[in-house]
Amino acid sequence: MKRARPDPGERMAEIVERVRSVPRGKVQTYGGIDPLAPRLVGRVLATTHRALPWHRIVRADGSIPQGERQRELLLGEGVPMRGERVDLKRARVRRNTGPATKSLGKTRR
DNA sequence: CGTATGACTGTAT
DNA sequence: TATACAGCCATAC
């Protein structure tokens, strides 16, 4: 059990690491980084953005938080878009790709 | 120490 | 599909 995080710094450090692990040309949502504290992810990005691929982090519905600026960067990486939003179905990082992904239930992580 | 705010999310209307 | 509301974590005042 290492679910407990008495130290905020540790949680933030993990967020930073996860953001850095998002591959180029793909994106991830705030909830995808930390479902329990998506707002915190934004705070971390805002304070650590200089060393992170911040543009690869978008909202759960595919909308882009930083607008045009971020949108250009994503397009530059070849991220599939759908209008002003990212096509999460294709661009979002997923650990499990395949049509037979149905009864996952709690197969998270 | 309490209140407000933010690069958010899921559910309801 | 779009708008409204409440819940959550850490920080700023």
Side-chain angles (χ1 to χ4, degrees):
Chain A
M1 4 165 60
K2 39 179 22 180
R3 207 168 274 80
R5 283 174 206 166
D7 178 18
E10 188 179 331
R11 175 174 275 173
M12 288 170 23
E14 189 174 325
I15 289 175
V16 169
E17 199 148 332
R18 290 195 181 191
V19 171
R20 293 185 65 188
S21 64
V22 178
R24 182 172 174 290
K26 287 279 196 174
V27 302
Q28 180 58 281
T29 63
Y30 294 84
I33 299 297
D34 188 339
L36 299 181
R39 316 262 325 196
L40 182 56
V41 175
R43 185 173 287 287
V44 170
L45 290 178
T47 59
T48 320
H49 62 76
R50 39 189 103 202
L52 296 177
W54 60 272
H55 53 279
R56 294 180 196 154
I57 308 302
V58 299
R59 294 190 183 121
D61 64 347
S63 56
I64 301 168
Q66 294 307 303
E68 206 172 337
R69 166 67 185 194
Q70 181 174 6
R71 180 168 147 270
E72 286 294 313
L73 290 170
L74 292 177
L75 285 173
E77 293 191 349
V79 174
M81 306 279 291
R82 192 164 170 273
E84 296 301 297
R85 299 182 189 177
V86 174
D87 187 347
L88 293 179
K89 291 177 181 3
R90 295 189 288 178
R92 193 193 205 240
V93 164
R94 25 165 123 203
R95 310 169 170 57
N96 178 340
T97 55
T101 309
K102 42 177 11 188
S103 312
L104 282 179
K106 319 182 152 221
T107 310
R108 51 142 128 190
R109 237 182 175 294

